[in-house]
Structure formats: C-alpha cells, structure tokens
Amino acid sequence: MKKIFWIIAIGVIIFFGYQERSALASQVENVFYKSPCAHPRTYRIGTIDPRFNISESEFLSAAKEAGSIWKNADGEMLFVYDPQSKLPISLVYDERQYLNSQVSDLNNQVEVQKNTLKPEIVDYERRSIAFKKRNADLNARVDYWNNKGGAPEEEYNKLIQEQKSLQQEAFELQNMANALNQSTDEYNTQIQQLDQRVDAYNETLQQKPEEGEYIRKGGNEKIVLYFNNSRAELIHTLAHEMGHAIGISHNTNPLSIMYPKTTLSTTLSNEDISALAVVCKKRSVIQTAGENVSFILEEIKTRTADALNKK
C-alpha cells in the first residue's frame, strides 16, 4: 500500500513540476521571443497634391481598405490608422501622373473622334452607293431614249430633274468627303500626339517605374504614391507598399499583392501568405536587436558615403 502511495505521490510531483516548467518555458518564450506582427503598424495620411482630385477622406478610406488586407495569424489587422503615427502615406504628383493624365485624356479624345467618324463614314459610304446606282439608272434611261431618237417632253423633263438632283447630291457628297478628310486628318494628328505622349510616358517610367515606394532612411520611414488611376489600383498599390513596410519582398505571381508590376488584385495570394508567415515568425529579442543594429550601421555607412561624395 505504501508503495502505491509513493508511486502516486511521485507522479503528482512530476506532473506539477512539468506544468511549472511548461509555464516557465512559455513565460521565457513570451519574454525573449517576439513576433513582429504581434502589434499592428500605425500610419497616418501625409500630403495629398490637389491635382490628384481626391479628398483626404477618400484617400484614408482606400488606405484602411488596403491595410485590412494584411492580418496576422490571429486575424488581427497589421495596419491601423493613427493621426499621430510616424509613418505618413502621401500622394506626390510628378511627371509620371502628369503624362499618364495626358495619355488618358488624349486616348479619350481619340476614342470620341473614332466613334464620331465611324457613323459618318458609314453614312457617306451608304449615300455614295445610292448615288452611283441612281447615276447608273439615269445613264441607262438616257441611252434608252437616245436609241429611240429622243424622249417625249414629259420624260425629258424627268431626266433633267433627275440630273439636277444628282448634281446636288454630288455636291453634298463632296462636302461630306472634304469634312471627313479634315476629320480624318485631325484624328491622325491626335493619334500622333497620343503616340508621342505614350513614348514620353514609357521613357519616364523606365527611369522611375514605381507607382509607389516604401522609403526608410535615417530612422524615418514613409510611403509615397505617384498614381491615382482608379480606386482598385490605388488600394493595390497601397497594400503593396504596406507589404514592403512589414518586410515582404516581391514575388513572381501576377495575382499577388507583392507582384512587382501594378495590377488590380486586392487579395493575398498563396505566395503573399507564405511570405507573411515568414515575416511574422517569432524571433529572439537578441536577433531583432542585431538586425536593428545592422540597419543603423548600414544607414551610417550610406550617409557617410553621401557626405564624402558631396565634397
């Protein structure tokens, strides 16, 4: 009996000892290991150039929607709005948006001109076909009566009246042709202007391809966007740069938020989710501190090199 008692007692001691060690281990893990995604990043709205024609409330609404795309393993959002945040998100108007707007305006003009020309050309062609048929019919009637030695007075008057009507129709068709030629020339000019703007736009994008940037320098960070073409594209670009802000790099899936080229995708792909899991993985405070020190040293090195180059 005593033997059984001591076996039970030892089991209880071992069990509670294990529980205490597990609790202690959990406490140690919580103290020395942290997930970068345990707490949300905050952001605020920076400057918005009025030429984008978007209000601060509209821009903030898009930013909130973009921020809600990124969530940690517990389903908590990784980005929340805070007007006192040190991470501003701004809309900066430069030559890219200017040229893009010009391309868009010219493209709309070309489409309007093309849609106007199409029915006018169809109408001209329809009237030309009818004119040629009437003219052929008149010539056939004239030949008929000439072969008969002449037309009766009543028929002759009809032929003359038809001839005058055809002459008036020919005059109107000529005016239509002249107007269409002028419109076509204007259309071709617009096409040339559009091509020139597209070339300039593409050349500019080769030098500055980003629709947005996450910039971290000198201990400061910011997100800057250069385009506002549509709400879906704006949300995508905001979410993309927010991804960079939490340390996620590009991937090759065109359906990803982190695809390097702009799309209208606003849903995380499997590649995005996998990258987020890596970024959110718990790290030791020593490792995190080491990464921060490395970043600071790199910043000092870069700034020193810039200072030397200016001398």
Side-chain angles (χ1 to χ4, degrees):
M1 188 68 179
K2 289 183 179 180
K3 184 177 181 181
I4 295 174
F5 172 80
W6 283 112
I7 290 173
I8 295 173
I10 292 170
V12 170
I13 292 171
I14 292 173
F15 174 77
F16 282 104
Y18 174 78
Q19 293 296 317
E20 290 178 0
R21 286 197 300 273
S22 297
L24 179 60
S26 177
Q27 292 176 5
V28 169
E29 182 179 1
N30 290 334
V31 171
F32 290 101
Y33 291 87
K34 299 288 186 181
S35 168
C37 304
H39 303 287
R41 295 290 313 275
T42 63
Y43 64 87
R44 62 181 172 85
I45 301 302
T47 59
I48 302 175
D49 192 296
R51 287 172 288 184
F52 282 102
N53 296 317
I54 183 172
S55 67
E56 182 173 335
S57 60
E58 291 173 321
F59 190 46
L60 176 58
S61 173
K64 287 181 176 179
E65 189 169 340
S68 68
I69 293 173
W70 297 105
K71 297 179 181 179
N72 63 19
D74 296 325
E76 300 170 334
M77 290 194 299
L78 297 183
F79 287 92
V80 295
Y81 172 70
D82 180 356
Q84 304 302 319
S85 174
K86 294 182 179 180
L87 174 60
I89 302 178
S90 301
L91 269 171
V92 175
Y93 192 98
D94 66 3
E95 57 187 335
R96 284 168 288 186
Q97 180 67 35
Y98 170 71
L99 288 170
N100 182 66
S101 298
Q102 282 199 324
V103 168
S104 179
D105 291 343
L106 282 170
N107 190 59
N108 290 337
Q109 292 176 20
V110 166
E111 284 299 313
V112 169
Q113 187 75 350
K114 181 176 71 175
N115 293 334
T116 301
L117 278 172
K118 277 184 176 180
E120 290 180 353
I121 291 173
V122 169
D123 184 45
Y124 173 78
E125 292 176 343
R126 178 186 60 78
R127 290 184 62 175
S128 294
I129 292 172
F131 172 81
K132 291 176 182 178
K133 185 178 184 305
R134 285 179 59 194
N135 187 58
D137 290 343
L138 176 62
N139 288 334
R141 289 163 59 193
V142 169
D143 290 341
Y144 172 81
W145 289 113
N146 282 340
N147 291 332
K148 292 268 187 188
E153 182 176 358
E154 181 179 355
E155 189 63 31
Y156 175 80
N157 290 335
K158 288 182 180 179
L159 293 173
I160 294 300
Q161 186 63 36
E162 180 67 7
Q163 184 184 51
K164 290 180 178 179
S165 176
L166 283 171
Q167 288 175 344
Q168 179 62 31
E169 181 74 9
F171 177 74
E172 291 177 1
L173 284 172
Q174 186 59 50
N175 286 339
M176 284 185 70
N178 292 338
L180 284 173
N181 286 333
Q182 183 176 355
S183 296
T184 302
D185 289 342
E186 292 174 357
Y187 177 72
N188 290 333
T189 299
Q190 289 178 340
I191 290 290
Q192 292 174 358
Q193 291 176 344
L194 177 59
D195 288 341
Q196 291 172 357
R197 293 297 186 279
V198 169
D199 289 342
Y201 177 65
N202 290 334
E203 183 178 349
T204 302
L205 285 186
Q206 287 180 355
Q207 300 170 2
K208 301 177 180 178
E210 307 90 351
E211 285 208 6
E213 290 181 284
Y214 166 68
I215 303 170
R216 183 179 179 184
K217 189 175 183 180
N220 298 316
E221 55 182 346
K222 60 183 178 180
I223 291 176
V224 180
L225 273 65
Y226 305 104
F227 287 88
N228 179 32
N229 295 324
S230 68
R231 181 174 174 83
E233 187 172 329
L234 177 62
I235 291 171
H236 170 89
T237 305
L238 283 164
H240 181 94
E241 300 309 328
M242 286 176 172
H244 284 316
I246 55 176
I248 300 179
S249 302
H250 291 152
N251 66 59
T252 58
N253 184 353
L255 299 179
S256 295
I257 294 293
M258 298 312 296
Y259 185 65
K261 295 183 180 179
T262 300
T263 69
L264 301 182
S265 176
T266 56
T267 304
L268 296 183
S269 68
N270 290 333
E271 289 82 355
D272 292 327
I273 294 171
S274 297
L276 179 61
V278 172
V279 167
C280 291
K281 186 177 180 181
K282 286 187 176 182
R283 305 177 187 178
S284 71
V285 293
I286 297 174
Q287 179 185 358
T288 303
E291 290 175 353
N292 290 335
V293 169
S294 297
F295 174 77
I296 293 171
L297 290 175
E298 188 62 30
E299 282 287 310
I300 293 173
K301 181 179 177 182
T302 301
R303 296 177 67 178
T304 302
D306 291 342
L308 291 174
N309 289 332
K310 291 179 180 180
K311 291 183 178 180

